[in-house]
Amino acid sequence: MLDKETFKNAEGKLYGYFRDLNEIGILEIECKDLEDQEESIKLDIKHCNVSVVPDMHMSPSFDERVQTSPTGESVAEKGIIREIEKLEDELEYVERKIRGNRKRIRQLKRNTARLKKVLTIPPMSKEMMNFITYKYKLDKSVDWIANEMYGGVRSTAYRRRGEILEDIVKWERLHDID
């Protein structure tokens, strides 16, 4: 039988493990979306896929005047350059976001690797894995699990929870995991 503190710590680790796995999944989806955006922005920059509205960037029309500038750039060229610089800024933001997400994914994988070892190396029974999934991943109550798995016998469900947590603590100690 586990003392109260060890019991709470083991349960907290399981809840945290599944929360981290969920966050990894969400971040990987976000990275995929950001990579698609990155590719789209790069194509827009490469093919100069910008539009410049003449009224927005140019002075009022003078039909007979020739436009000159000290740099040799027309107002339209300056407008295109500004639009491309905006795309480059957006690309930099997206790339920075991807790097941040990848860093967080690596950190979460390091955190979950420790408990993943405990949950996968000693082959747990299907019943134990179902219980762990229902309780700690899907956040179902022990009463719900008792109805689903043990024909409504709550005492069996509570006993199984204790046995599962004892096994996990035992395997943690065996693997020398904090």
Side-chain angles (χ1 to χ4, degrees), residues 124-131 149:
M124 292 190 166
S125 69
K126 184 161 177 56
E127 176 196 353
M128 290 175 80
M129 285 310 295
N130 285 343
F131 192 100
M149 294 177 66

Side-chain angles (χ1 to χ4, degrees), residues 20 23-24 100-113:
D20 289 351
E23 187 177 348
I24 288 170
N101 286 352
R102 295 241 182 264
K103 177 182 175 185
R104 178 71 179 149
I105 289 170
R106 286 190 302 274
Q107 178 185 17
L108 289 170
K109 284 185 176 181
R110 278 191 300 271
N111 292 346
T112 58

Side-chain angles (χ1 to χ4, degrees), residues 151-168:
V153 183
R154 292 176 56 209
S155 60
T156 302
Y158 280 103
R159 187 176 64 251
R160 289 300 292 157
R161 179 179 68 165
E163 292 169 359
I164 289 168
L165 290 174
E166 281 181 28
D167 285 349
I168 288 172

Side-chain angles (χ1 to χ4, degrees), residues 70-121:
T71 60
E73 297 173 331
S74 71
V75 174
E77 288 173 326
K78 288 179 182 177
I80 290 171
I81 290 170
R82 265 195 306 272
E83 293 300 315
I84 289 177
E85 286 172 347
K86 287 179 187 177
L87 285 173
E88 288 172 341
D89 290 343
E90 184 181 358
L91 179 63
E92 181 182 327
Y93 169 78
V94 168
E95 288 173 340
R96 192 171 49 246
K97 189 87 168 138
I98 289 171
R99 283 192 305 271
N101 286 352
R102 295 241 182 264
K103 177 182 175 185
R104 178 71 179 149
I105 289 170
R106 286 190 302 274
Q107 178 185 17
L108 289 170
K109 284 185 176 181
R110 278 191 300 271
N111 292 346
T112 58
R114 301 166 65 191
L115 194 54
K116 184 177 183 178
K117 202 184 306 180
V118 170
L119 293 175
T120 56
I121 288 180

Side-chain angles (χ1 to χ4, degrees), residues 5-140:
E5 191 66 30
T6 307
F7 185 86
K8 283 183 179 182
N9 285 341
E11 274 201 320
K13 287 178 185 178
L14 285 169
Y15 280 121
Y17 173 77
F18 286 110
R19 183 188 59 241
D20 289 351
L21 286 182
N22 186 43
E23 187 177 348
I24 288 170
I26 290 168
L27 287 171
E28 286 176 343
I29 290 170
E30 188 176 335
C31 280
K32 176 70 175 122
D33 291 343
L34 288 170
E35 287 168 355
D36 291 344
Q37 288 178 22
E38 178 185 35
E39 191 62 34
S40 173
I41 294 168
K42 284 180 180 179
L43 281 174
D44 285 348
I45 292 171
K46 180 179 180 181
H47 296 294
C48 199
N49 191 13
V50 296
S51 61
V52 179
V53 179
D55 297 338
M56 192 169 90
H57 298 290
M58 297 180 200
S59 61
S61 173
F62 299 107
D63 294 335
E64 299 295 323
R65 284 210 167 216
V66 174
Q67 187 177 2
T68 60
S69 80
T71 60
E73 297 173 331
S74 71
V75 174
E77 288 173 326
K78 288 179 182 177
I80 290 171
I81 290 170
R82 265 195 306 272
E83 293 300 315
I84 289 177
E85 286 172 347
K86 287 179 187 177
L87 285 173
E88 288 172 341
D89 290 343
E90 184 181 358
L91 179 63
E92 181 182 327
Y93 169 78
V94 168
E95 288 173 340
R96 192 171 49 246
K97 189 87 168 138
I98 289 171
R99 283 192 305 271
N101 286 352
R102 295 241 182 264
K103 177 182 175 185
R104 178 71 179 149
I105 289 170
R106 286 190 302 274
Q107 178 185 17
L108 289 170
K109 284 185 176 181
R110 278 191 300 271
N111 292 346
T112 58
R114 301 166 65 191
L115 194 54
K116 184 177 183 178
K117 202 184 306 180
V118 170
L119 293 175
T120 56
I121 288 180
M124 292 190 166
S125 69
K126 184 161 177 56
E127 176 196 353
M128 290 175 80
M129 285 310 295
N130 285 343
F131 192 100
I132 290 169
T133 301
Y134 288 145
K135 177 70 177 141
Y136 302 105
K137 182 178 184 181
L138 302 176
D139 205 24
K140 300 292 184 182

Side-chain angles (χ1 to χ4, degrees), residues 166-178:
E166 281 181 28
D167 285 349
I168 288 172
V169 169
K170 177 181 72 173
W171 282 104
E172 277 183 333
R173 289 181 182 145
L174 185 68
H175 288 291
D176 194 32
I177 295 175
D178 297 329

